[in-house]
């Protein structure tokens, strides 16, 4: 989330965005509508990160994708358009006020057959997923629970599966020793847990607000 935040110099970010394939018209309209009509629009993934998600799904070709943190559906749609035939996304959103908007958005994008929307708290939903495992997981939800989500999500990943975590630099607070708020502490703990976990290998990418790419070992 916090899609507008970027640790890179503005000129560099602008150049990178200008030389990246733009979002399709539907996604552009969805981003504009989010900024006009939804609270906290900075939480949208946006075109640059959305294109990265799309590219990763085209490379990995996951049949089963799990997303924690749907917001207005932008990232789910980016991934859905890149899924191979038979691919499907399960996405979880805790804000019940967004449910009607999400159902309408997915239907208008003709993505409903590819996207299963679950409304509620991820910490309660994840343990009850019916014996499923996933090829790719995208975590972009409430930061205070990041450390709590990690073992749950790792357990749902297939061997060789991939996890991408957003906001792992958390506005630069994770490496600022003076920051001790709950969100920052949770993100720091997640980064440490991933990096010290012998069952995975990881790469922290300084893209936008920081992305942690994790591969579960076979």
């Amino acid at each position: 989330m916090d899609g507008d935040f970027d640790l890179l110099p503005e000129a560099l970010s602008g150049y990178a965005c200008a030389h990246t394939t733009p979002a399709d018209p539907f996604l552009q309209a969805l981003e504009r509508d989010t900024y006009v009509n939804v609270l906290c629009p900075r939480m949208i993934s946006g075109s640059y990160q959305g294109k990265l998600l799309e590219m990763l799904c085209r490379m990995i070709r996951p049949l089963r994708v799990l997303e924690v943190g749907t917001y207005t559906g932008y990232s789910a749609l980016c991934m859905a358009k890149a899924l191979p035939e038979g691919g499907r996304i399960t996405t979880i959103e805790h804000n019940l006020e967004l449910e009607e908007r999400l159902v309408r958005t997915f239907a208008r994008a003709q993505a409903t057959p590819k996207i299963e929307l679950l409304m509620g708290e991820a910490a309660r939903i994840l343990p009850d997923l019916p014996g499923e495992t996933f090829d790719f997981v995208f975590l972009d939800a409430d930061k205070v629970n990041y450390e709590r989500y990690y073992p749950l999500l790792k357990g749902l990943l297939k061997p060789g599966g991939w996890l991408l975590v957003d906001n792992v630099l958390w506005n630069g607070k994770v490496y600022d020793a003076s920051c001790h708020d709950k969100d920052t502490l949770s993100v720091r703990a997640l980064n440490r847990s991933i990096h010290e976990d012998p069952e995975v290998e990881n790469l922290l990418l300084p893209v936008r607000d920081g992305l942690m790419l994790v591969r579960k070992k076979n």
Side-chain angles (χ1 to χ4, degrees):
M1 297 183 179
D2 290 329
D4 273 346
F5 190 83
D6 198 331
L7 292 169
L8 297 177
E10 183 176 353
L12 176 56
S13 292
Y15 186 85
C17 290
H19 290 79
T20 297
T21 302
D24 63 44
F26 187 92
L27 289 172
Q28 291 179 27
L30 175 58
E31 185 169 11
R32 287 194 299 270
D33 180 72
T34 298
Y35 270 85
V36 172
N37 295 306
V38 184
L39 292 175
C40 303
R42 292 177 71 242
M43 294 198 302
I44 197 169
S45 289
S47 60
Y48 187 83
Q49 186 168 299
K51 179 57 67 173
L52 176 61
L53 287 166
E54 179 189 338
M55 292 286 203
L56 287 173
C57 284
R58 291 198 187 281
M59 288 188 286
I60 297 169
R61 296 185 59 78
L63 285 174
R64 293 293 289 119
V65 174
L66 173 64
E67 178 182 53
V68 181
T70 317
Y71 190 46
T72 56
Y74 191 102
S75 52
L77 290 174
C78 288
M79 292 185 286
K81 68 188 295 186
L83 293 185
E85 185 175 355
R88 188 163 173 80
I89 296 172
T90 296
T91 186
I92 301 171
E93 174 56 45
H94 79 280
N95 186 349
L96 300 181
E97 294 181 358
L98 292 174
E99 182 174 10
E100 183 178 345
R101 172 181 290 272
L102 284 167
V103 170
R104 184 171 64 249
T105 295
F106 294 152
R108 290 167 62 184
Q110 298 182 328
T112 302
K114 290 186 174 181
I115 300 175
E116 176 189 24
L117 175 64
L118 302 178
M119 301 299 300
E121 298 293 334
R124 296 183 179 180
I125 292 173
L126 291 172
D128 292 331
L129 289 178
E132 292 199 68
T133 55
F134 296 87
D135 306 293
F136 182 71
V137 174
F138 179 47
L139 172 60
D140 185 14
D142 50 319
K143 310 311 171 223
V144 73
N145 282 312
Y146 261 24
E147 185 182 15
R148 183 181 182 187
Y149 292 146
Y150 176 60
L152 295 173
L153 296 175
K154 191 179 77 169
L156 292 168
L157 269 182
K158 292 180 179 178
W162 298 85
L163 165 67
L164 187 70
V165 186
D166 196 11
N167 303 115
V168 294
L169 295 179
W170 197 226
N171 298 359
K173 292 181 180 180
V174 291
Y175 50 83
D176 184 342
S178 68
C179 294
H180 300 288
D181 60 275
K182 291 181 179 180
D183 287 343
T184 301
L185 292 176
S186 179
V187 176
R188 276 195 197 125
L190 170 80
N191 291 341
R192 184 171 57 251
S193 295
I194 290 173
H195 188 59
E196 295 176 353
D197 187 347
E199 297 181 352
V200 304
E201 53 186 339
N202 68 292
L203 175 67
L204 199 162
L205 299 165
V207 175
R208 302 306 299 270
D209 194 24
L211 291 167
M212 183 72 84
L213 183 62
V214 184
R215 178 184 175 274
K216 185 175 181 179
K217 295 180 181 177
N218 293 324

